[in-house]
Amino acid sequence: MSMFLGLFIVFGFFAVGDYLGIKTKAKLSSVFVALLLFLVCFVGGILPPDIIETSGLTKLSKMSTMFLVFNMGTSVNLSQMRKEWKVVVFSIVAMAVAVGAVALTIPLIGKQAAIVSIPIVNGGIVATQIMTEAALEKGFTLAAALGTLVFAVQKFVGTIPASRCGLSEAKKLAEKYRESLKNGIDLNDVKAADEGGGPSAKPPFYKTHDKYYTVYITLGIAAGACWAASLIQELTGISGSIWCLLLGMLLNQIGLVPPKMLDKGKSAGLFMIATFSNLIPSLAQINMGDLVSLAFQIIVVFAAVLIGCFALLYFLPIWKFVGSKNMAMGIAMSQLLGFPATFLIVNEVATAVAETEAEKDYVINQLTPAFVISGFVSVTTISILVAGIFATFL
């Protein structure tokens, strides 16, 4: 197999996943489709297990994670998180519940499988890459494969309860908005008045110098941050991914870099697919006999998370902290979804219940902080810290 044929197959599988994701309006996970294609082709002997090495993506995949984490750090809005502090706190509690629930499955699925799965359940691509790479380095190939598959199916598991709870909450919010209109009050106007009227802040450095944030300058800044993070890692022994995340958050907070900086530099997509490429070799280690064992472990992991979250956050009065049971479960399930899946669910349920655009705007404005911010707290931010810690336990 030539390098370009390998690239065509790798990129092609993800292209097929994207096409089906768009066609089904995100009901079918594009990542799940792509990883399933690789799994089937590896188990069936259709693809060589070294396709990532052949396609030249191995070295790029190893460097991509730090770039991607830095980019995620720049997207974290600390001011908004301070404002929605209850959502942040409850999201952390929900993560702790999931961690504890998966930890309790160790007698059923084994220590390595549980440790690898814990940060991935509350995380995304970066947490998955950190854990699968650490597992492969220690020789735990089946645990690494489990981590990749947990990542592939987590959105399926989280979407159903998140959508149902979001729909129930959206119906209540729409009814509340209609009642307020009968009393001559438009809740959208009330919210706008509460948020407006403050003194206009001085524009940050990145806005006044926007034209300078070109592809090469953004890549240079990101590379510098990754280098600094690697130096700090050598000094502290703490994962460089954690330092990349913190540096991204810091530089964005003080206004030196724009949010989602690599998106602005038109290079985030390449680093994303390179990071995905780091997961694919773990699937090549699976044989037909492993599939039953992996299926059992996946069922146990997600059953533990769902049972734990519903038992502790829905049926116990902890939900009162965020105002409703539906909101509590929406926040808890966001750790399985992340952005943009959380936003898509909010938009979907708002469209389903709203009779007017004003109603839809109100429902979206009320649900977005709970769903989207909780996804950023868990998937984008804290899961990376959790993965950096748990990778040392393997």
Side-chain angles (χ1 to χ4, degrees):
M1 180 180 291
S2 69
M3 180 180 73
F4 287 106
L5 176 57
L7 283 171
F8 173 67
I9 292 172
V10 172
F11 289 180
F13 280 7
F14 282 102
V16 170
D18 270 2
Y19 173 78
L20 293 176
I22 294 168
K23 196 74 174 174
T24 61
K25 297 182 179 178
K27 289 182 173 62
L28 190 61
S29 166
S30 60
V31 173
F32 174 78
V33 171
L35 294 180
L36 182 62
L37 287 172
F38 279 109
L39 177 60
V40 170
C41 290
F42 285 140
V43 173
I46 300 170
L47 287 180
D50 63 346
I51 187 172
I52 299 301
E53 180 71 35
T54 302
S55 59
L57 290 171
T58 301
K59 289 187 177 180
L60 180 60
S61 68
K62 291 188 179 300
M63 62 175 272
S64 63
T65 303
M66 299 271 272
F67 277 83
L68 204 58
V69 172
F70 177 72
N71 188 54
M72 288 179 170
T74 65
S75 71
V76 176
N77 189 325
L78 294 177
S79 300
Q80 191 176 18
M81 286 188 178
R82 281 196 296 268
K83 183 178 177 182
E84 300 291 344
W85 66 273
K86 284 190 175 182
V87 173
V88 173
V89 171
F90 200 86
S91 180
I92 294 171
V93 171
M95 291 181 72
V97 169
V99 168
V102 178
L104 290 175
T105 68
I106 289 177
L108 293 174
I109 67 174
K111 179 181 176 183
Q112 284 77 31
I115 289 175
V116 168
S117 300
I118 283 172
I120 298 172
V121 163
N122 347 89
I125 176 62
V126 175
T128 307
Q129 191 276 330
I130 292 171
M131 296 310 298
T132 54
E133 187 176 81
L136 287 173
E137 286 178 358
K138 296 291 179 66
F140 303 131
T141 56
L142 203 58
L146 173 66
T148 301
L149 294 175
V150 166
F151 170 70
V153 303
Q154 66 182 162
K155 286 181 173 57
F156 282 112
V157 177
T159 296
I160 295 174
S163 294
R164 291 192 175 181
C165 291
L167 186 62
S168 297
E169 188 68 16
K171 288 177 180 177
K172 294 179 181 178
L173 290 169
E175 186 60 35
K176 179 181 177 181
Y177 183 81
R178 291 166 197 151
E179 287 296 320
S180 72
L181 287 183
K182 291 178 183 178
N183 297 323
I185 300 171
D186 189 330
L187 293 176
N188 284 327
D189 292 339
V190 173
K191 183 175 177 62
D194 289 341
E195 292 179 350
S200 56
K202 181 180 177 182
F205 179 87
Y206 69 80
K207 283 193 174 180
T208 57
H209 297 79
D210 180 71
K211 64 181 179 181
Y212 293 105
Y213 288 88
T214 63
V215 173
Y216 297 130
I217 289 176
T218 54
L219 285 173
I221 294 171
C226 293
W227 175 59
S230 67
L231 293 178
I232 301 173
Q233 177 181 349
E234 291 177 7
L235 292 173
T236 63
I238 299 173
S239 172
S241 296
I242 294 176
W243 296 115
C244 268
L245 181 74
L246 297 176
L247 284 171
M249 293 167 63
L250 173 64
L251 293 178
N252 175 254
Q253 185 68 17
I254 63 180
L256 290 182
V257 299
K260 298 182 180 179
M261 192 181 74
L262 293 181
D263 289 357
K264 183 173 180 57
K266 300 178 178 62
S267 52
L270 180 62
F271 287 111
M272 179 68 79
I273 200 167
T275 302
F276 277 124
S277 297
N278 219 11
L279 308 180
I280 294 167
S282 66
L283 298 177
Q285 309 295 323
I286 301 174
N287 58 51
M288 192 67 72
D290 296 327
L291 294 179
V292 173
S293 174
L294 288 170
F296 171 75
Q297 290 176 329
I298 290 170
I299 291 170
V300 169
V301 166
F302 285 115
V305 172
L306 293 177
I307 292 170
C309 286
F310 272 97
L312 298 179
L313 306 178
Y314 189 86
F315 294 110
L316 293 183
I318 298 174
W319 59 265
K320 292 182 179 180
F321 187 72
V322 291
S324 78
K325 291 183 176 182
N326 291 319
M327 199 72 89
M329 285 309 300
I331 292 171
M333 291 301 101
S334 292
Q335 67 184 302
L336 300 176
L337 301 171
F339 188 85
T342 48
F343 179 75
L344 292 174
I345 287 174
V346 168
N347 190 71
E348 185 179 74
V349 299
T351 302
V353 304
E355 296 176 355
T356 66
E357 280 299 313
E359 282 182 20
K360 181 178 177 180
D361 289 343
Y362 177 70
V363 172
I364 288 175
N365 288 337
Q366 294 299 309
L367 290 182
T368 295
F371 280 73
V372 176
I373 290 178
S374 58
F376 273 115
V377 170
S378 54
V379 178
T380 306
T381 312
I382 298 180
S383 68
I384 299 173
L385 305 179
V386 174
I389 295 168
F390 272 78
T392 64
F393 296 163
L394 287 171

